[in-house]
Amino acid sequence: MGKVNLAVARARKALSLLRQGAVDGLSIGFRMQRAVTDRQSGVRKLLEIDLWEISVVTFPMLTQARVDAVKRASRSLNLVVRGREVNGARV
C-alpha cells in the first residue's frame, strides 16, 4: 500500500487522474543491491534493492505494475497495488 500526501498540489492532481481512471500505472525506480539468477530459466530475482521513487504513470514499463484501488483516509490517500508476483517479485 502506498500513500500520497494531499497537502501537495501535484498529489491532488494525481488523485483526480486516478479517480477518473486516466492513469493507473506505476513507475518504480530503484538500484539493485543484491540479486540471484536462476541458471535454468534465466529469471533474475531481486533480493535487495535501494528504492528511489514510485510514480503514477500512464504507461508503466512493467504492464502489471498498476494501482488496483483508491481508498480514502483522513490525511492521505492510500493506493492498493495489485499483489501479483512477476518474475519472483511482488508487484
Side-chain angles (χ1 to χ4, degrees):
M1 182 180 316
K3 292 189 177 189
V4 175
N5 183 349
L6 296 179
V8 177
R10 290 180 72 175
R12 292 190 301 274
K13 182 177 179 180
L15 171 60
S16 178
L17 293 170
L18 285 162
R19 286 186 176 150
Q20 291 174 355
V23 294
D24 70 348
L26 296 172
S27 171
I28 305 167
F30 63 91
R31 183 174 53 158
M32 189 272 303
Q33 297 293 318
R34 196 165 53 103
V36 295
T37 302
D38 183 292
R39 292 182 186 187
Q40 290 182 343
S41 67
V43 173
R44 183 173 65 156
K45 185 173 186 176
L46 303 176
L47 302 175
E48 185 179 342
I49 64 167
D50 183 13
L51 181 63
W52 289 7
E53 62 92 19
I54 300 175
S55 300
V56 178
V57 297
T58 305
F59 304 108
M61 183 61 71
L62 180 62
T63 58
Q64 296 91 340
R66 301 279 179 183
V67 174
D68 259 353
V70 178
K71 293 183 174 182
R72 291 188 185 271
S74 58
R75 294 185 193 160
S76 63
L77 165 73
N78 292 322
L79 304 177
V80 178
V81 298
R82 291 188 183 136
R84 247 181 229 196
E85 193 163 316
V86 179
N87 294 335
R90 282 193 57 82
V91 175

